[in-house]
């Protein structure tokens, strides 16, 4: 998986691209945290990620999800805020993950 090694691809440095790359890192980060492989993230960051996932999945939001289009705005805002606030932690995890991948390639 490409963890943000965009190697000079034009247009791949904007805010939305960073959000997409960070979004792809959330599930592997949670998995590595709970298996004990990666613990260099503050516990409050893990709580924030879990809260965000629960908020997005939960149908009882500030704006109800059954209002198609409008109901997803608060979910997107909470998800975007979470990714923005965790950007530094996710960047550190990305570096660690790339290092782990290179170790496997060298040993494999």
């Amino acid at each position: 998986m490409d963890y943000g090694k965009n190697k000079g691809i034009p247009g791949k440095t904007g805010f939305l691209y960073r959000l997409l790359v960070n979004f792809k890192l959330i599930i592997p980060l949670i998995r590595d945290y709970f298996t004990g492989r990666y613990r260099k993230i503050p516990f409050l960051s893990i709580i924030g990620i879990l809260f965000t996932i629960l908020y997005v999945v939960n149908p009882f939001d500030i704006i109800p999800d059954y209002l198609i289009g409008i109901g997803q705005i608060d979910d997107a805002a909470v998800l975007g805020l979470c990714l923005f606030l965790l950007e530094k932690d996710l960047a550190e995890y990305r570096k660690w993950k790339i290092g782990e991948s290179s170790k496997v390639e060298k040993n494999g």
Side-chain angles (χ1 to χ4, degrees):
M1 181 176 191
D2 178 20
Y3 293 105
K5 301 181 283 187
N6 53 12
K7 303 205 188 232
I9 300 171
K12 297 293 185 183
T13 58
F15 179 70
L16 290 177
Y17 179 75
R18 287 194 334 257
L19 283 180
L20 179 63
V21 169
N22 287 341
F23 181 72
K24 289 180 181 180
L25 284 172
I26 292 288
I27 299 301
L29 172 63
I30 297 271
R31 187 181 315 121
D32 286 340
Y33 182 82
F34 284 111
T35 59
R37 292 184 64 215
Y38 184 79
R39 293 289 180 139
K40 296 178 184 175
I41 185 167
F43 185 69
L44 284 177
S45 296
I46 295 295
I47 295 295
I49 291 169
L50 293 176
F51 168 78
T52 299
I53 291 170
L54 287 175
Y55 185 83
V56 170
V57 173
N58 187 358
F60 302 106
D61 296 344
I62 294 172
I63 303 173
D65 286 341
Y66 62 81
L67 298 172
I68 308 281
I70 298 172
Q72 287 71 34
I73 291 174
D74 63 329
D75 293 344
V78 168
L79 182 61
L81 180 64
C82 176
L83 292 174
F84 177 74
L85 293 175
L86 295 174
E87 191 165 13
K88 188 174 101 174
D89 295 329
L90 290 170
E92 291 296 319
Y93 175 71
R94 184 181 312 110
K95 289 178 192 174
W96 176 83
K97 194 75 168 171
I98 290 169
E100 287 291 308
S101 298
S102 64
K103 286 179 188 177
V104 169
E105 289 174 5
K106 287 179 184 178
N107 295 331

